[in-house]
Amino acid sequence: AQKAIFSSTPGRAVQTEGGRLVFPCNHVRTFGGLLGSRFELRSHTVLSDDGEHFRKGGASPAAETNESTVASVGGRLILNMRQVSGHGLRRLAASADGGESWQDEGHAEQLSD
């Protein structure tokens, strides 16, 4: 059986210039039971354009990510994530569409984890 667990992260939400709330979150998908033999970690966002209705935004293109934070930098959103196999470096993704989708920016050499 496949199950998914969604959770918020240690990071805080940001509000874009257009008013959208963007929350950094994580999910764990297990295969073969709640503590299944296989699992997938991935960071994603939850979005709200009115502060009352919320929906899942885009997921990180990088697998094995969690403990994400989000920031608004130069008109783009940056998702800063821990990556399990990241060799001690944070993984970054960027969004130009308010968190609907994310493009992988690779490991941040200047950000140790």
Side-chain angles (χ1 to χ4, degrees), residues 19-66:
R20 174 175 282 175
L21 296 172
V22 182
F23 297 85
C25 295
N26 308 308
H27 70 265
V28 178
R29 184 172 294 145
T30 63
F31 305 90
L34 184 59
L35 299 175
S37 58
R38 294 185 308 123
F39 65 93
E40 173 191 77
L41 298 171
R42 197 168 299 262
S43 295
H44 69 272
T45 51
V46 169
L47 310 174
S48 177
D49 292 321
D50 62 8
E52 293 183 25
H53 301 91
F54 299 86
R55 62 186 170 83
K56 186 174 180 285
S60 164
E64 298 182 336
T65 55
N66 68 357

Side-chain angles (χ1 to χ4, degrees), residues 3-112:
K3 299 193 186 277
I5 301 168
F6 293 87
S7 64
S8 60
T9 70
R12 296 180 176 179
V14 297
Q15 188 168 22
T16 65
E17 289 183 18
R20 174 175 282 175
L21 296 172
V22 182
F23 297 85
C25 295
N26 308 308
H27 70 265
V28 178
R29 184 172 294 145
T30 63
F31 305 90
L34 184 59
L35 299 175
S37 58
R38 294 185 308 123
F39 65 93
E40 173 191 77
L41 298 171
R42 197 168 299 262
S43 295
H44 69 272
T45 51
V46 169
L47 310 174
S48 177
D49 292 321
D50 62 8
E52 293 183 25
H53 301 91
F54 299 86
R55 62 186 170 83
K56 186 174 180 285
S60 164
E64 298 182 336
T65 55
N66 68 357
E67 296 186 12
S68 59
T69 61
V70 66
S72 181
V73 179
R76 296 187 319 158
L77 294 174
I78 303 295
L79 196 60
N80 175 337
M81 304 159 282
R82 170 171 282 157
Q83 187 171 35
V84 175
S85 61
H87 311 290
L89 298 174
R90 301 290 287 184
R91 188 76 179 222
L92 301 178
S95 175
D97 60 9
E100 299 284 349
S101 63
W102 295 92
Q103 292 72 47
D104 188 25
E105 297 284 315
H107 289 105
E109 297 293 328
Q110 68 278 24
L111 297 176
S112 62

